[in-house]
Amino acid sequence: MSVLGWLVRHPTVHLAVKAGVAAGLAFWVGSLLPSPLDDYKYYAALGAYIVMGLIVVDSVKESLRVLAAVGVGVGIAVLVQSISWTNSWSVGSTIAVCVVLSALPFLGEQRTWAPLAALFVLATGGADPAPMALAYIVQIPLGAAIGIIINLVLLAPLGEQDLRRSTTRVRLLIAEHLRTYADLLENQLEEPAEEAAVEQRTATFTSGMHEIEHAQAHLLSSMSAHQRGQRANPRARITAQSEQLLQDQAEAISRCAAALGAVAVLLGEADPNGSRPEHDDELRIREHTADVLRGAAEIFDHPQTASRDTVRQITARLDRLTEQLRSTGAENGLDNLLFGALTLSVRRCLDVFAHRVVGVE
């Protein structure tokens, strides 16, 4: 891909162009307002920048939150300025009150605008802060409105970029942790490890569980943002089919990650102390399971090259492993329970992934 082609397709370039257009247009429109509001036209540019990059429905919601937070901050600053002058006491007390009021739930993530707006009014408003306060209240919403329009007209974001990155991240982590699970089982085939080695193995295993849980949480957040990105978005109808496919694949990956989280707990229970199983059946079960997990990891690693035969081969091996567990003696009851749940979880996970992501039955 050429440099020009990369620039045309890169979302950061899209955002930069939109932000520049919106800020410049808002600055110009803000300069058309009557005096003294036109002296604060840079606040309009700031308001336009605030909503850039947000999905359409969020840009409207967040701009309203900004307006409310700014109103709180400006109101407190004007009140303090009317009974005092700008000094350490007035600045400190104003910020303290704004921080308390900014905890109001409806301000959401834009709560920091309340103390910031108050500080600007106190710092630069002078003896008569009314013009600047009025400019804040007028110019920022004006710029935000222009930003929303530009955001809507110029490639309104659908949230697909973050969703695609999050989906890929979780998919690769699933493959990585399937191999980690296989390593754990293969380690049980060896002689008992030293206590320090067992602790290190447990720490690595636990760290991996936390990593995939964090990635899955981010994926769920991206899925929610992607769904909201379809609402009131003129691009959504054009790309509806591809966006739905992306959402379906993300849901499949999320389900797989949840299932494999339960698998991690099972494997931890199967090896609480790093001890080597005593029975030959237990050793064979671990050996075969580790081999199947590595095969499944390859499918998650390279779904674009996974064929129907490859998927069927792995699922057939999982089915044979399940039959092997059923045929073992009652003395291996705990292993039968743990590895039966393990094989069924991986089997179901692979079915969902193959159907929804790889595209094979």
Side-chain angles (χ1 to χ4, degrees):
M1 182 185 298
S2 65
V3 175
L4 180 59
W6 179 86
L7 290 174
V8 170
R9 292 175 175 82
H10 201 281
T12 302
V13 177
H14 295 168
L15 178 59
V17 172
K18 290 167 60 175
V21 171
L25 181 60
F27 186 88
W28 175 72
V29 173
S31 68
L32 302 179
L33 297 181
S35 181
L37 297 180
D38 60 336
D39 292 335
Y40 301 95
K41 48 188 173 290
Y42 46 87
Y43 286 141
L46 179 62
Y49 172 74
I50 291 170
V51 299
M52 283 297 103
L54 297 174
I55 57 179
V56 175
V57 292
D58 282 356
S59 63
V60 176
K61 179 179 66 177
E62 295 304 316
S63 64
L64 292 175
R65 285 177 169 175
V66 169
L67 177 59
V70 166
V72 168
V74 169
I76 297 299
V78 171
L79 177 62
V80 171
Q81 195 80 331
S82 67
I83 60 178
S84 179
W85 67 94
T86 302
N87 53 51
S88 58
W89 180 88
S90 63
V91 169
S93 58
T94 299
I95 296 301
V97 172
C98 286
V99 168
V100 172
L101 293 179
S102 67
L104 293 171
F106 65 85
L107 295 180
E109 296 181 358
Q110 306 300 337
R111 59 175 55 92
T112 56
W113 278 99
L116 183 62
L119 187 59
F120 264 83
V121 171
L122 291 178
T124 60
D128 181 16
M132 182 179 183
L134 181 60
Y136 237 113
I137 297 298
V138 173
Q139 292 279 24
I140 285 185
L142 173 64
I146 293 173
I148 291 171
I149 295 172
I150 296 299
N151 206 28
L152 185 65
V153 173
L154 297 181
L155 297 175
L158 294 163
E160 80 282 7
Q161 295 290 340
D162 188 50
L163 180 59
R164 189 172 286 110
R165 285 192 297 267
S166 300
T167 302
T168 300
R169 172 64 175 160
V170 174
R171 176 177 60 79
L172 294 177
L173 280 176
I174 288 174
E176 178 183 334
H177 291 303
L178 283 172
R179 294 189 180 92
T180 300
Y181 303 159
D183 291 340
L184 176 67
L185 296 176
E186 289 174 348
N187 286 333
Q188 295 176 29
L189 304 177
E190 303 172 357
E191 293 301 320
E194 297 292 333
E195 183 177 352
V198 174
E199 291 178 355
Q200 178 62 35
R201 186 187 308 165
T202 302
T204 302
F205 191 71
T206 303
S207 175
M209 289 175 58
H210 292 163
E211 185 179 16
I212 199 167
E213 287 172 359
H214 179 76
Q216 186 190 10
H218 184 75
L219 174 59
L220 292 173
S221 176
S222 299
M223 290 166 58
S224 176
H226 182 255
Q227 288 178 325
R228 297 197 311 275
Q230 313 305 304
R231 302 203 300 266
N233 194 322
R235 295 177 60 201
R237 184 175 299 179
I238 301 174
T239 60
Q241 187 173 358
S242 61
E243 297 301 326
Q244 185 59 50
L245 177 61
L246 180 60
Q247 186 75 17
D248 289 345
Q249 291 178 345
E251 290 176 359
I253 294 291
S254 179
R255 290 171 59 185
C256 290
L260 292 177
V263 168
V265 176
L266 294 176
L267 292 178
E269 291 295 327
D271 181 34
N273 300 309
S275 57
R276 187 174 189 270
E278 298 179 357
H279 300 97
D280 290 341
D281 285 344
E282 294 176 311
L283 294 173
R284 283 195 296 271
I285 287 171
R286 282 161 172 76
E287 183 178 3
H288 293 166
T289 303
D291 192 39
V292 172
L293 289 176
R294 293 194 186 280
E298 286 299 315
I299 295 177
F300 279 93
D301 240 346
H302 308 288
Q304 66 278 7
T305 59
S307 65
R308 180 179 283 103
D309 290 340
T310 302
V311 174
R312 286 179 176 175
Q313 181 184 20
I314 298 298
T315 54
R317 292 168 65 185
L318 284 166
D319 291 339
R320 287 196 297 271
L321 182 57
T322 303
E323 291 301 320
Q324 180 184 352
L325 289 166
R326 289 174 178 168
S327 64
T328 55
E331 67 275 7
N332 298 333
L334 180 59
D335 263 19
N336 285 3
L337 177 63
L338 293 176
F339 285 91
L342 169 61
T343 55
L344 290 175
S345 296
V346 175
R347 176 70 158 81
R348 178 55 181 162
C349 180
L350 197 58
D351 285 344
V352 172
F353 183 78
H355 176 64
R356 305 281 287 276
V357 180
V358 180
V360 300
E361 298 292 341

